[in-house]
Amino acid sequence: MIKGLYIHIPFCSIKCPYCDFVSITSDDKGLHRRYIEALKKEILLYKELDFDLETVYFGGGTPSLLDPELLSEFIYFIKDQISVVESPEITVEVNPKTYRYEDFRIIKEAGVNRISIGVQSFLERNLRMLGRDHSVKDSYKAVEDCLKSGIENINLDLIYGIQNQSLKDLEKDLEIYTSLPVKHISAYMLTPYEGTPFEQSVREGVYRLKDEDELYDMFVLINSYLETQGFLRYELSNWSKEGYQCRHNLFYWKHVPFLGIGVSAWSYINGKRSGNTGNLKEYLEKIEKGKKPAVFSETIDKSEFLKEKIFLGLRLREGVPVKYLSGKLDSVEELVSENFGLIDGDRFILTEKGLMVINRIVSLLI
Ligand code: SF4
């Protein structure tokens, strides 16, 4: 049974230098319409699957570059064509300088009840350092208008590890984030993804990355600050008020079947993972010829499944059952003795120290 639907919207107003998501800069309304028509066709290609959608997630790219009427039309189409539960979680990622009150109101009417705003920081200096095209004022306005429209389940993204960002700056940001009536905060470490202009400037020594100790201090500050303000960390990068965890993302981490549509979208259905082409032209051409745009598919066998359970489970606050690690108990013991992890009942859970080196721990354990 497919419980989640991810829709990739590959349009942005600019390309942020650190971003490796598949997107192009385009505000061409004709192209947006053509893309939505392609998404509709793609959904119909999967109509024979068993759906009972509990979550729909519009990510990107910048879904809020689409006219709210177009986005709403597509939501009504989904509800019309496939089985959706009574009150699904419907999330839209929003760039702070795009949607305003009337736009939020329109998509709310179509059923959107969760908004994720790409604020990144409430300090102008950080935004310029990140190469973002929105201002702090835009972020305040987006939050205000979203709340005014009646959508109160709001996530704000935060980036840490920015050059020249001090712990004091980060604390100032956290103070502002938690002073707003939002339910969820995602905090991501600035990462030099391969092939991005940001990675190039790191390689050329133009941009200095924070070292491990600095990043650890930042993560500890974020975690302790947010937890004292009532945001509980439930995943490596995600904190929420009680009852406001992102149901859609939990599906990914817990291997609940989901369909991803659009350019570069991934799906996990019946033990198989597949991925669509990352090329917009190829995507549109395939769909318009009635072909599925998947270019990659693999069956997740038992041992791969267990590895993924460990890899994804360690990101979660609840950790993984110790029995998953039965062949690696010596390593587990060592990790516990060095305060990288702890045992709680029958589960192995990473500490803050462990979470900061999660990739190394995962390669040790699987
Ligand atoms: S707006 Fe988001 S998706 Fe678009 S380029 Fe910037 S970080 Fe990437």
Side-chain angles (χ1 to χ4, degrees):
M1 187 73 80
I2 297 170
K3 302 258 183 201
L5 175 66
Y6 172 78
I7 302 129
H8 190 79
I9 306 295
F11 307 116
C12 288
S13 49
I14 59 158
K15 190 74 196 169
C16 304
Y18 58 88
C19 174
D20 77 334
F21 293 123
V22 173
S23 68
I24 59 162
T25 53
S26 169
D27 58 2
D28 175 349
K29 301 290 174 205
L31 181 60
H32 294 180
R33 159 61 67 188
R34 186 176 167 204
Y35 188 71
I36 289 291
E37 292 307 322
L39 289 173
K40 288 181 185 170
K41 288 199 176 101
E42 190 179 1
I43 286 227
L44 295 179
L45 292 175
Y46 295 102
K47 243 193 125 174
E48 81 283 1
L49 295 173
D50 217 1
F51 286 97
D52 197 19
L53 285 188
E54 291 179 18
T55 68
V56 177
Y57 193 104
F58 289 87
T62 306
S64 60
L65 265 198
L66 300 180
D67 285 342
E69 292 84 0
L70 190 59
L71 197 69
S72 301
E73 177 191 313
F74 185 59
I75 294 170
Y76 289 123
F77 178 85
I78 295 168
K79 290 179 176 172
D80 216 38
Q81 295 297 328
I82 49 185
S83 166
V84 180
V85 298
E86 186 70 23
S87 36
E89 173 191 272
I90 305 183
T91 304
V92 176
E93 289 181 354
V94 166
N95 176 311
K97 73 167 195 176
T98 53
Y99 280 3
R100 290 295 173 257
Y101 168 72
E102 187 56 17
D103 308 310
F104 286 120
R105 199 194 57 73
I106 292 168
I107 58 172
K108 178 177 183 272
E109 217 167 280
V112 173
N113 49 20
R114 187 172 184 276
I115 295 290
S116 178
I117 307 179
V119 167
Q120 318 310 352
S121 172
F122 278 100
L123 303 187
E124 208 66 60
R125 175 162 33 94
N126 285 343
L127 295 180
R128 301 292 76 83
M129 205 58 152
L130 289 168
R132 298 288 307 193
D133 67 343
H134 71 274
S135 66
V136 167
K137 213 169 137 203
D138 289 329
S139 296
Y140 280 116
K141 185 69 181 150
V143 173
E144 183 191 326
D145 283 8
C146 183
L147 287 166
K148 203 165 124 196
S149 76
I151 304 177
E152 44 96 52
N153 189 357
I154 299 177
N155 167 63
L156 301 182
D157 283 346
L158 176 149
I159 293 183
Y160 67 98
I162 304 165
Q163 184 165 274
N164 298 333
Q165 180 188 32
S166 65
L167 278 177
K168 227 169 154 202
D169 292 338
L170 182 58
E171 192 166 354
K172 178 76 198 148
D173 244 337
L174 291 165
E175 201 183 307
I176 301 172
Y177 273 73
T178 53
S179 70
L180 296 167
V182 298
K183 307 295 187 198
H184 193 287
I185 293 171
S186 299
Y188 301 106
M189 186 196 295
L190 184 59
T191 306
Y193 292 110
E194 212 182 316
T196 59
F198 175 57
E199 184 240 9
Q200 192 182 341
S201 55
V202 169
R203 228 181 323 114
E204 290 168 355
V206 179
Y207 200 105
R208 190 190 78 81
L209 284 181
K210 300 271 180 206
D211 65 30
E212 243 175 49
D213 290 343
E214 290 172 299
L215 290 170
Y216 174 69
D217 289 345
M218 288 188 149
F219 181 73
V220 170
L221 173 64
I222 293 168
N223 196 34
S224 56
Y225 198 103
L226 292 183
E227 297 224 344
T228 53
Q229 298 300 315
F231 290 88
L232 193 69
R233 183 178 61 75
Y234 65 100
E235 194 267 348
L236 176 60
S237 312
N238 290 285
W239 288 258
S240 79
K241 290 273 170 80
E242 206 184 328
Y244 286 93
Q245 298 182 345
C246 175
R247 277 152 60 194
H248 185 82
N249 286 341
L250 280 170
F251 284 173
Y252 296 151
W253 299 317
K254 296 193 170 187
H255 283 95
V256 176
F258 65 89
L259 173 68
I261 59 170
V263 179
S264 76
W266 287 78
S267 301
Y268 176 71
I269 299 167
N270 297 334
K272 261 195 190 156
R273 177 167 309 108
S274 59
N276 282 353
T277 171
N279 181 304
L280 179 60
K281 188 166 173 278
E282 186 187 346
Y283 172 81
L284 290 170
E285 283 173 2
K286 278 196 166 169
I287 291 283
E288 285 162 1
K289 283 183 190 146
K291 289 187 187 155
K292 287 186 180 166
V295 287
F296 171 82
S297 170
E298 65 174 351
T299 302
I300 311 294
D301 64 22
K302 234 175 144 185
S303 96
E304 195 56 33
F305 187 69
L306 181 64
K307 280 184 194 168
E308 287 195 2
K309 281 259 179 212
I310 296 170
F311 164 66
L312 294 170
L314 286 176
R315 298 178 64 95
L316 298 172
R317 187 186 191 91
E318 65 202 47
V320 295
V322 177
K323 66 175 182 215
Y324 287 2
L325 305 164
S326 54
K328 298 278 182 170
L329 291 180
D330 288 351
S331 304
V332 169
E333 224 171 87
E334 209 174 306
L335 288 166
V336 171
S337 72
E338 288 173 19
N339 192 31
F340 285 106
L342 57 92
I343 302 286
D344 184 7
D346 62 349
R347 303 189 77 87
F348 175 64
I349 298 167
L350 292 188
T351 58
E352 286 172 337
K353 190 177 163 194
L355 285 167
M356 290 314 292
V357 287
I358 185 169
N359 291 340
R360 269 181 260 160
I361 292 180
V362 166
S363 23
L364 183 75
L365 295 178
I366 63 179

